[in-house]
Amino acid sequence: RQRQMCIRDRCADTAQGATVDDEGCIEEGADTDGDGVEDLEDLLPGDPSQWVDSDGDGFGDNMSGTDGDACPSVYGTSFEDRNGCFDDDNDGFSNADILWTIYNGADVYPGDISQWKDSDKDGYGDNASGNNPDAFPTDSNQWSDSDGDGYGDNNAPGAGGDAGPPVGGTSTIDRGGCPDSD
């Protein structure tokens, strides 16, 4: 029987692909990703476009690099509209701030993980499966359709809503959403 010798990995957290010594530690002077920063000093050693992450949120400070941090001085979890900024409800969309508003793409509902956008600005979110959904996300006059006929429940003048009773209807000529037997 042949006896095998095992080498202990003293540096188990070494990034995959790094140039290592015989104990599993990064070799001094190695620059595995070729970004000009030694692996020992590189906070993002697997990405040649990033080397510093000042706030430790996983998004590099080089905004023009891969997954650049739009808010490099604060720890943030947003990733949908901009990377690494505050995201109170953890839905991926960042909270609005003085430089980034809801008109730029910030979260319209920063306290509701199920909604983040309101295209027609009527107070009802675009996510149909979220809280207070908008059945008509591009029509600020309509937001619900309780009978499911495609005409909104708001029948106020100029709103273009359902003229029929709260049952589905297929009329389109004289009034929308009323029962039409023929």
Side-chain angles (χ1 to χ4, degrees):
R1 195 189 246 216
Q2 194 173 22
R3 188 175 202 175
Q4 292 185 341
M5 197 165 117
C6 296
I7 297 175
R8 184 169 178 240
D9 187 353
R10 290 188 321 116
C11 302
D13 62 345
T14 302
Q16 185 175 358
T19 305
V20 296
D21 60 20
D22 60 354
E23 294 182 334
C25 299
I26 297 173
E27 281 186 27
E28 191 170 333
D31 177 16
T32 306
D33 60 13
D35 60 9
V37 178
E38 288 185 30
D39 290 348
L40 292 171
E41 302 295 324
D42 194 336
L43 296 178
L44 298 162
D47 184 348
S49 71
Q50 299 287 358
W51 47 91
V52 176
D53 179 13
S54 299
D55 56 15
D57 60 9
F59 298 103
D61 290 0
N62 180 9
M63 188 60 184
S64 63
T66 306
D67 293 328
D69 197 331
C71 302
S73 61
V74 298
Y75 182 91
T77 58
S78 68
F79 60 90
E80 292 287 350
D81 57 329
R82 56 187 183 154
N83 292 328
C85 297
F86 289 126
D87 177 13
D88 288 344
D89 58 12
N90 290 314
D91 61 4
F93 290 87
S94 66
N95 297 1
D97 58 38
I98 197 161
L99 299 173
W100 188 258
T101 67
I102 60 172
Y103 300 105
N104 299 111
D107 196 338
V108 175
Y109 304 98
D112 183 352
I113 192 170
S114 73
Q115 295 289 357
W116 47 88
K117 190 175 182 182
D118 180 11
S119 295
D120 59 11
K121 298 168 186 52
D122 62 1
Y124 294 87
D126 291 359
N127 182 8
S129 62
N131 298 322
N132 295 314
D134 194 337
F136 303 91
T138 60
D139 182 350
S140 62
N141 292 311
Q142 301 293 338
W143 47 89
S144 63
D145 179 14
S146 57
D147 59 15
D149 63 4
Y151 293 94
D153 293 341
N154 182 7
N155 196 24
D162 195 333
V167 294
T170 58
S171 67
T172 59
I173 304 297
D174 60 342
R175 298 178 300 170
C178 293
D180 187 359
S181 59
D182 61 354

